C-alpha cells in the first residue's frame, strides 16, 4: 500500500512538472516588433539634384536592438541594419531618419521590414517621386 501511494505521488509530481514546462523564468520575454511605419517627403521642386526626407518608426514591446531592411518595390531588400528601440512617452520605439539624395527622375515605392524575435513586420508602401525636369550642375 505504501508503495502504491509513493508511485501515485511520483506520478503527480512528474505530471505537474511536464505541465509547467511553459513557464518562463524572469524577464518579459523576447523583444517583439509590434508595428512599423514609414514616411517619405518627396521634393517639391522640379530641379535636381535635390533631397527627399525619409522617417521610419518601429514600435516594440520593450527596449533593445531591432533588425530592419529597406525594400524598394520591384528591386528587393537592402542590407540588414540594426537600430535600438528606446522608451519614449511610455512606448518603445526605434526612430530612423535619413536624407535621400535625388539625382535623377524617380517614381518608386518603399517599405521597411523590421524584426525582433519572430518574423519580419512590414510597413505600408510609401511613394517617392521626383520629376527632375530641370537638371542643375553638381
Amino acid at each position: 500500500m505504501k508503495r502504491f501511494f509513493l508511485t501515485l505521488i511520483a506520478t503527480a509530481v512528474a505530471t505537474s512538472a511536464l505541465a509547467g514546462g511553459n513557464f518562463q523564468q524572469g524577464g518579459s520575454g523576447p523583444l517583439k516588433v509590434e508595428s512599423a511605419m514609414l514616411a517619405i517627403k518627396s521634393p517639391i521642386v522640379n530641379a535636381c539634384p535635390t533631397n527627399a526626407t525619409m522617417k521610419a518608426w518601429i514600435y516594440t514591446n520593450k527596449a533593445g536592438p531591432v533588425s530592419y531592411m529597406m525594400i524598394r518595390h520591384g528591386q528587393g531588400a537592402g542590407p540588414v541594419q540594426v537600430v535600438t528601440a528606446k522608451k519614449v512617452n511610455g512606448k518603445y520605439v526605434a526612430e530612423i531618419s535619413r536624407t535621400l539624395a535625388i539625382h535623377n527622375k524617380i517614381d518608386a515605392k518603399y517599405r521597411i521590414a523590421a524584426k525582433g524575435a519572430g518574423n519580419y513586420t512590414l510597413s505600408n508602401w510609401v511613394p517617392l517621386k521626383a520629376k527632375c525636369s530641370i537638371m542643375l550642375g553638381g
Side-chain angles (χ1 to χ4, degrees):
M1 185 75 158
K2 185 177 179 182
R3 191 176 261 169
F4 174 75
F5 284 116
L6 288 176
T7 304
L8 186 62
I9 291 172
T11 303
V13 169
T15 303
S16 297
L18 290 175
N22 291 333
F23 286 104
Q24 186 175 3
Q25 293 181 328
S28 60
L31 183 141
K32 294 181 182 176
V33 173
E34 295 174 344
S35 66
M37 293 181 7
L38 180 66
I40 298 175
K41 184 177 180 182
S42 294
I44 57 174
V45 297
N46 290 332
C48 287
T50 188
N51 293 323
T53 305
M54 189 257 335
K55 285 196 174 239
W57 299 269
I58 303 168
Y59 292 93
T60 64
N61 65 329
K62 66 182 193 176
V66 179
S67 300
Y68 73 94
M69 300 179 290
M70 295 302 300
I71 302 169
R72 182 172 174 174
H73 189 270
Q75 290 189 355
V80 175
Q81 299 178 49
V82 177
V83 66
T84 302
K86 299 175 183 173
K87 193 170 191 175
V88 177
N89 296 327
K91 294 185 178 187
Y92 296 101
V93 63
E95 187 173 333
I96 303 160
S97 184
R98 290 191 187 154
T99 300
L100 308 172
I102 309 290
H103 296 284
N104 297 304
K105 179 180 178 179
I106 186 168
D107 186 359
K109 290 191 270 186
Y110 291 86
R111 75 178 351 172
I112 190 168
K115 178 179 179 178
N119 296 325
Y120 278 96
T121 299
L122 302 172
S123 73
N124 51 317
W125 285 107
V126 179
L128 170 59
K129 295 181 181 186
K131 292 183 180 179
C132 292
S133 55
I134 302 170
M135 297 302 291
L136 303 174

